[in-house]
Amino acid sequence: MAATPLDSDETYARLDPHGLLSRIEGSRLTGARGAARLPHHVSVVTPGVKADAVLMELDFRGVSASSGSACATLTGQPSHVLRAIGCDEAEAEASLCFTLGRWTTGQEIDVAVEILPAVVSRLRRLAPS
């Protein structure tokens, strides 16, 4: 059975970044708000955990995401874009980006929304106080 692409409104509604963020204490969206926000792109800060640890666990669970921006990947430094929009260094290191493609399914979005809060919670419990 072939996947049916989601339109932009359905993608954003399924992802429901505000509902997702309400399940992760202290998290927030970065970037534009309202109509200026890209419907297929969600960048969030999840304080208290490094994005690299979250990304590794998400990958083990079959969820693809990224950290920061592509232009900062090779430097090992926090994204200058995130710093420019007001994120401090710790927030930039805790930034996750989810970009949805034409063939991203609703089920894939649902899995990511279900898994991310549990991953962040588990990693926070493991982090030194």
Side-chain angles (χ1 to χ4, degrees):
M1 182 165 95
T4 303
L6 302 174
D7 66 32
S8 293
D9 291 337
E10 184 180 1
T11 297
Y12 197 75
R14 292 279 299 245
L15 187 55
D16 183 21
H18 300 290
L20 172 64
L21 296 179
S22 70
R23 298 174 56 199
I24 304 172
E25 184 179 340
S27 63
R28 68 179 179 87
L29 287 173
T30 60
R33 302 290 189 263
R37 185 165 201 89
L38 296 172
H40 66 284
H41 176 90
V42 174
S43 175
V44 299
V45 172
T46 56
V49 293
K50 298 266 186 173
D52 291 345
V54 176
L55 292 172
M56 186 178 299
E57 190 156 336
L58 289 176
D59 185 51
F60 287 148
R61 296 175 183 221
V63 175
S64 296
S66 62
S67 173
S69 63
C71 54
T73 300
L74 296 177
T75 68
Q77 299 297 311
S79 165
H80 67 278
V81 174
L82 291 170
R83 298 300 302 272
I85 63 171
C87 292
D88 63 28
E89 187 170 337
E91 290 175 321
E93 290 177 349
S95 175
L96 300 169
C97 179
F98 297 88
T99 305
L100 308 173
R102 166 182 262 180
W103 299 106
T104 301
T105 67
Q107 181 181 6
E108 290 167 331
I109 295 169
D110 294 343
V111 167
V113 168
E114 185 63 33
I115 288 174
L116 183 60
V119 167
V120 170
S121 177
R122 186 181 89 70
L123 291 171
R124 283 178 177 167
R125 283 192 312 271
L126 294 173
S129 299

